[in-house]
């Protein structure tokens, strides 16, 4: 593993950088924190970029080096045509870890990032130390809903309806009605997103079914769910916590992005677990 092309300044100051995967997709990433700290990887929800974790950085960096990245098809990363897979998205992460010279990391995956986290935990368990699965599931349906969204994106490429849908799915009505300042950056990311990338990402979630492999997760695992989550329902979190041996479950009075809606609670719970 070669680390020579990464400057010390970039690592310390947390500048956005890029690397290219083996199949030619450019992935945006950022690393914050001091070199002597253990590494924690934060993996994003669909239709977001790595700035969805901004509320975690100040709390996490006294204890960890924090690696964030834009999943292929999302944010500043490349958006190749076609259906994506959780397998390929997970390989992107492993290639990024190899690029940076990180053998073993803590891993927090939220929503789509939680699917990626589960896949890595099962198929490349030696790369993860402690695991946090937030607002995610082993399987989501129905398939027709994903297919309709994919068809719409590939025929019309209008992101406005998807911006409205995601905001309603991610945040409580009281924050939306109040025009909470935390919401607008998420809306802007969706509106600027590649329709090709979102369609490919929907396909990855549609085609993933990790229910049979969840009991094989060998890591010390924390599941964080939302009492008011309408995307990954409370029962999805309960399922994972019961399926994964000795997993802990914490339910928060939140919708889908508790790391934003209830950042202080999320940070405290995650740091207590990781430390």
């Amino acid at each position: 593993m070669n680390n020579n092309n990464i400057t010390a300044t970039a690592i310390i100051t947390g500048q956005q950088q890029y690397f290219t995967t083996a199949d030619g997709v450019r992935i945006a990433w950022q690393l914050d924190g001091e070199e002597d700290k253990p590494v924690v990887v934060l993996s994003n929800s669909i239709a977001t970029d790595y700035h969805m974790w901004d509320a975690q950085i100040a709390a996490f960096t006294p204890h960890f080096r924090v690696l964030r990245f834009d999943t292929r098809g999302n944010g500043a990363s490349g958006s190749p045509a076609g259906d994506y897979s959780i397998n390929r998205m997970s390989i992107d992460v492993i290639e990024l870890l190899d690029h940076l010279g990180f053998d073993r990391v803590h891993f927090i995956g939220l929503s789509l990032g939680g699917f990626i986290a589960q896949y890595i935990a099962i198929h490349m368990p030696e790369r993860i130390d402690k695991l946090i699965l937030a607002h995610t599931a082993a399987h989501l349906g129905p398939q027709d809903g994903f297919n309709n969204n994919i068809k719409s994106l590939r025929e019309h490429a209008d992101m406005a309806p998807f911006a409205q849908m995601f905001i309603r799915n991610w945040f409580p009505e009281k924050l939306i009605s109040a025009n909470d300042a935390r919401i607008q950056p998420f809306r802007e990311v969706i509106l600027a997103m590649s329709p090709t990338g979102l369609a490919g990402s929907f396909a990855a979630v549609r085609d993933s079914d990790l229910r049979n492999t969840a009991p094989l997760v060998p890591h010390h695992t924390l599941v964080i769910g939302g009492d008011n989550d309408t995307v990954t329902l409370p029962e999805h979190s309960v399922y994972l916590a019961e399926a994964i041996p000795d997993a802990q479950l914490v339910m928060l009075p939140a919708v889908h992005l508790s790391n934003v809606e209830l950042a202080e609670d999320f940070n405290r719970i995650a740091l207590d677990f990781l430390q």
Side-chain angles (χ1 to χ4, degrees), residues 1-3 93-103 127:
M1 299 179 184
N2 192 324
N3 206 20
V93 178
I94 298 303
E95 290 181 357
L96 175 56
L97 295 180
D98 289 348
H99 173 74
L100 295 170
F102 298 151
D103 290 325
R127 305 307 295 266

Side-chain angles (χ1 to χ4, degrees), residues 52-53 115 151 213 224 234:
M52 70 163 275
W53 300 105
F115 278 89
K151 183 174 185 289
T213 54
I224 299 176

Side-chain angles (χ1 to χ4, degrees), residues 14-164:
Q15 298 171 357
Q16 180 168 293
Q17 299 191 64
Y18 299 89
F19 94 106
T20 301
T21 65
D23 66 339
V25 176
R26 191 172 79 155
I27 301 294
W29 59 272
Q30 181 166 319
L31 188 61
D32 297 283
E34 300 173 3
E35 294 185 22
D36 62 344
K37 298 288 194 296
V39 177
V40 58
V41 176
L42 308 181
S43 186
N44 314 339
S45 171
I46 194 172
T48 67
D49 63 15
Y50 65 68
H51 289 291
M52 70 163 275
W53 300 105
D54 283 354
Q56 279 61 65
I57 301 306
F60 280 44
T61 49
H63 313 283
F64 298 99
R65 294 180 80 187
V66 181
L67 175 60
R68 298 177 286 169
F69 65 96
D70 288 349
T71 311
R72 68 167 57 206
N74 296 258
S77 290
S79 299
D83 291 355
Y84 306 162
S85 69
I86 297 299
N87 171 66
R88 181 61 248 187
M89 289 174 162
S90 300
I91 292 171
D92 293 345
V93 178
I94 298 303
E95 290 181 357
L96 175 56
L97 295 180
D98 289 348
H99 173 74
L100 295 170
F102 298 151
D103 290 325
R104 190 174 177 89
V105 298
H106 300 307
F107 204 104
I108 304 177
L110 191 151
S111 197
L112 170 60
F115 278 89
I116 294 169
Q118 291 174 69
Y119 191 93
I120 295 174
I122 291 299
H123 296 280
M124 294 153 275
E126 70 281 1
R127 305 307 295 266
I128 293 179
D129 190 357
K130 291 184 178 181
L131 176 67
I132 298 179
L133 302 174
H135 300 273
T136 192
H139 175 69
L140 283 178
Q143 191 174 72
D144 285 349
F146 289 110
N147 289 336
N148 291 337
N149 286 335
I150 292 167
K151 183 174 185 289
S152 176
L153 286 161
R154 289 175 175 166
E155 290 181 353
H156 306 295
D158 182 3
M159 298 304 294
F162 290 95
Q164 182 176 7

